[in-house]
Amino acid sequence: MSETASKASLNTPAEPDPGRWKALVFIALAQLMVVLDATIVNIALPSAQQDLGISDGNRQWVVTAYALAFGGLLLFGGRIADLWGRKKAFVVGLGGFAAASALGGAATNEAMMFGARALQGVFGALLAPAALSLLAVMFTDAKERAKAFGIYGAIAGGGGAVGLILGGFLTEYLDWRWTFFVNIPFAVIAAAGAYFVIREPEGGRNRSPLDIPGVILSTLGLVALVYGFTRAESEGWSDSVTVGMFVASAVLLLSFVVVEAKVKAPLLPLRVVTERNRGGVYLSLGLAIIAMFGLFLFLTYYLQIVKGYSPVKTGFAFLPMIAGMITGSTQIGTRLMTRVAPRLLMGPGFLVAALGMLLLTQLEIGSSYAALLLPAMLLLGLGMGTAFMPAMSLATQGVEPRDSGVASAMVNTSQQVGGAIGTALLNTIAASATTSYIADHIVGATSRSQQQLVQLEGMVQGYTSAIWFAVGILVVAAAIALTFVNAGRPNMTAVTGSGEGAADEVQIPVVAH
């Protein structure tokens, strides 16, 4: 594609789409549904497990089946969006997600539940890259684009806590099945709105034949990697199947890179990931998500088990983090994104989040919510919201329009893998520290109440040990952002970028469990 043709395709239509702000509502609604689904299902899991007779050993598959399908098929989903057109992929993804949710809500046994969750992951992998690419091509003015993605990012980031609150209400006052059924109206409204409102600009499709070897190798490699980390959490790092999964993943992903370098129409053109700024963004975001995912898990357990909060109260307790994210994303990130170099927002943003995490290393059984948890969560949200905005703006900078779907999928893939790594790695560190603490202190505990106290102290000791690692991970993410990312501040023209057919497009992360 020539530079002239590529720019022409990006500027069609010449005038901004008059329905772009309406389209943002429906695209953000779809994103909210995907994010809600992750935390809603986590809260409903104990009730669903009891009703469907799922064993303790198998219950992880309610979460894992979704994670494997979503993480494994994201690159394929991004490529399909480039091939079919983003609007079509978006509507099909929504329809499939709604059908899979209905199947999950109607589940009568564990096999039906696991299948429904895997199907949700499949259609989520089609929906997520299509949604992000759509916004990028509909908002061509730099200031408008920053504002649109600030709003979208705040919804994406805040959806997790809304899911905790909504999941708590639905599980406590209705039935766990409603945590699935609630997706259906979201999907129907978003799909209908998208069908009538979205006018996808012509051009920018990638009509090359599908790279079947690339699809197979990347899907199997990512599934093996995500499953390896998921299994490490429950079976340990030295488990033979865990080790086998990591070895298989390394071989498959290495083979994938070799194939992509040689085929004429690769699934993931290596130019998408080897550019310095994009590489720095993928790496720093993946690390930040490792820290964030572990923290959500620990704070949920701390508030419910140690503090005795109900699921609904736990959801409300996360609101300061969401307020911080919304402020960082829509006020700080959006306002400064067009004025300063991205690394000057990303690096300090990750460091502010690390400072919030550092406060949480002081957690004790009797810690005050107002004095410790609230300021820590505000700082975390503020830092992450500020860093995510410029990071996402760089995530597809300089990619050709025909690669935008797969570049968007790469952002989601780095986060999905980061989430799997974070949950497994930090959980293992926490469990090890807890076991060690209890072994050292349980001998002196003679009464039952003293033993229970030691166990709670051990849990908190485990959380703080893991949180120290999360602090370090966020500092490394900041260092990578400040070192690798060297792009200047964006131009204020409608379409900017570098290289042939470049588009300075903006993407916002999907938080998926």
Side-chain angles (χ1 to χ4, degrees):
M1 182 183 288
S2 71
E3 185 172 347
T4 308
S6 135
K7 286 184 178 177
S9 72
L10 276 167
N11 286 314
T12 305
E15 292 298 316
D17 187 330
R20 61 195 181 281
W21 292 106
K22 288 180 186 173
L24 172 64
V25 173
F26 297 114
I27 293 168
L29 187 65
Q31 175 59 29
L32 180 63
M33 177 191 73
V34 174
V35 178
L36 277 176
D37 187 68
T39 45
I40 272 185
V41 171
N42 285 346
I43 284 196
L45 186 53
S47 305
Q49 181 185 355
Q50 191 174 357
D51 272 12
L52 300 178
I54 302 173
S55 68
D56 284 349
N58 283 343
R59 72 178 171 192
Q60 63 156 331
W61 284 101
V62 177
V63 176
T64 305
Y66 178 87
L68 292 183
F70 187 84
L73 292 170
L74 268 167
L75 286 177
F76 184 44
R79 178 67 180 85
I80 291 292
D82 287 336
L83 181 68
W84 286 358
R86 302 168 185 99
K87 178 177 173 177
K88 183 179 179 182
F90 182 69
V91 173
V92 171
L94 280 167
F97 201 91
S101 297
L103 189 67
T108 54
N109 55 50
E110 63 178 33
M112 195 170 165
M113 171 61 79
F114 299 156
R117 288 292 283 160
L119 269 179
Q120 280 186 315
V122 169
F123 287 105
L126 180 63
L127 172 63
L132 306 183
S133 301
L134 269 174
L135 279 193
V137 297
M138 293 185 82
F139 288 88
T140 52
D141 175 76
K143 277 190 174 178
E144 277 197 354
R145 196 164 62 240
K147 186 177 179 183
F149 282 95
I151 294 166
Y152 183 75
I155 291 169
V162 176
L164 288 170
I165 298 168
L166 188 59
F169 272 115
L170 292 172
T171 306
E172 281 185 36
Y173 302 117
L174 288 173
D175 185 72
W176 66 266
R177 294 182 186 277
W178 282 97
T179 62
F180 284 88
F181 292 144
V182 75
N183 290 331
I184 299 170
F186 276 103
V188 169
I189 293 167
Y195 185 79
F196 290 110
V197 171
I198 290 176
R199 299 285 178 266
E200 184 182 348
E202 291 298 320
R205 281 203 199 174
N206 187 344
R207 300 182 188 276
S208 306
L210 270 179
D211 167 24
I212 301 300
V215 170
I216 294 169
L217 288 170
S218 68
T219 301
L220 292 178
L222 287 169
V223 164
L225 183 64
V226 173
Y227 182 56
F229 277 107
T230 305
R231 189 178 171 87
E233 185 187 348
S234 55
E235 303 298 327
W237 297 91
S238 58
D239 174 70
S240 58
V241 177
T242 303
V243 174
M245 283 292 157
F246 286 137
V247 172
S249 172
V251 171
L252 287 162
L253 292 176
L254 194 60
S255 304
F256 171 67
V257 172
V258 172
V259 167
E260 297 309 274
K262 292 183 176 180
V263 296
K264 189 177 179 182
L267 172 69
L268 175 64
L270 296 182
R271 61 181 176 267
V272 170
V273 291
T274 52
E275 197 271 326
R276 175 174 177 162
N277 287 292
R278 281 196 296 276
V281 165
Y282 295 148
L283 197 53
S284 61
L285 269 185
L287 286 169
I289 294 297
I290 288 176
M292 282 291 284
F293 264 55
L295 182 79
F296 270 124
L297 190 71
F298 297 142
L299 279 186
T300 302
Y301 276 112
Y302 174 79
L303 291 170
Q304 288 194 25
I305 296 174
V306 179
K307 287 296 203 182
Y309 284 21
S310 69
V312 175
K313 191 176 178 183
T314 300
F316 279 110
F318 276 101
L319 286 180
M321 187 185 293
I322 306 315
M325 275 188 179
I326 291 171
T327 305
S329 183
T330 63
Q331 300 304 310
I332 302 171
T334 302
R335 290 171 188 271
L336 296 181
M337 207 171 84
T338 52
R339 298 179 187 178
V340 301
R343 67 177 180 276
L344 299 181
L345 288 173
M346 288 175 65
F350 288 136
L351 288 175
V352 168
L355 182 62
M357 201 78 86
L358 189 64
L359 286 178
L360 291 173
T361 60
Q362 307 304 308
L363 267 186
E364 294 174 356
I365 288 179
S367 292
S368 160
Y369 176 82
L372 181 67
L373 288 164
L374 191 147
M377 285 199 273
L378 272 174
L379 286 170
L380 264 165
L382 202 61
M384 286 296 189
T386 302
F388 275 170
M389 275 304 300
M392 294 310 113
S393 75
L394 280 178
T396 56
Q397 185 180 27
V399 299
E400 296 179 29
R402 63 200 175 112
D403 293 334
S404 66
V406 80
S408 160
M410 218 13 241
V411 182
N412 297 328
T413 301
S414 72
Q415 291 174 89
Q416 185 63 23
V417 172
I421 293 171
T423 306
L425 180 66
L426 296 179
N427 238 6
T428 307
I429 293 165
S432 174
T434 296
T435 305
S436 175
Y437 182 91
I438 291 173
D440 289 345
H441 295 80
I442 200 73
V443 180
T446 50
S447 68
R448 183 172 175 78
S449 60
Q450 285 177 324
Q451 289 172 351
Q452 286 177 333
L453 183 64
V454 168
Q455 286 178 332
L456 286 177
E457 286 173 343
M459 285 174 68
V460 176
Q461 180 69 29
Y463 301 155
T464 54
S465 299
I467 290 169
W468 271 111
F469 275 84
V471 172
I473 291 167
L474 280 173
V475 170
V476 172
I480 288 171
L482 290 167
T483 308
F484 280 71
V485 178
N486 62 356
R489 71 183 183 86
N491 295 326
M492 291 308 293
T493 51
V495 178
T496 60
S498 60
E500 187 179 356
D504 179 11
E505 299 180 53
V506 186
Q507 307 297 340
I508 290 295
V510 175
V511 182
H513 296 230

